[in-house]
Amino acid sequence: MQRRKPHVDDRGAEDLVEKASWRARLRYRFDNLMSGGSGSILLALGVLTTLSVLALAGLRAALHRLEPDPTAHSWRDILWRALTEIIDPGSLE
């Protein structure tokens, strides 16, 4: 087995620990978020919901240019429909 050369940082201290992969770092951050209590979990759900609504509204706006919907008069209508479809899937038209 080949021995790794120790990494020496700016202070001159040797570090024999391998750098964690991006997947391990992401999992560590997620675990810390989940251990933060209900407030951090609700904040994460709010952020995910907002990102989902914006992504769906962007997709609907792009598709609206290809085939216009006569009932969607502005970007607010498109955003509202995206919001209602994400929050209540039973409202699909």
Side-chain angles (χ1 to χ4, degrees):
M1 184 172 179
Q2 186 178 12
R3 182 165 163 86
R4 290 177 41 101
K5 292 177 75 176
H7 172 73
V8 180
D9 64 6
D10 295 338
R11 297 172 301 198
E14 291 184 2
D15 182 15
L16 295 175
V17 178
E18 292 183 30
K19 187 174 180 180
S21 68
W22 65 270
R23 190 173 186 170
R25 282 183 269 149
L26 183 64
R27 182 177 297 216
Y28 178 76
R29 286 187 181 195
F30 179 76
D31 287 343
N32 280 342
L33 178 69
M34 291 297 119
S35 68
S38 60
S40 64
I41 293 172
L42 285 174
L43 179 65
L45 285 173
V47 168
L48 284 175
T49 302
T50 302
L51 291 176
S52 299
V53 167
L54 292 176
L56 185 60
L59 180 64
R60 286 185 68 105
L63 293 175
H64 182 72
R65 292 187 182 263
L66 295 175
E67 188 175 330
D69 181 8
T71 60
H73 302 294
S74 70
W75 62 271
R76 289 184 188 127
D77 291 338
I78 294 172
L79 187 62
W80 178 253
R81 286 187 185 175
L83 175 69
T84 56
E85 288 172 3
I86 292 288
I87 293 182
D88 181 20
S91 70
L92 292 174
E93 297 174 3

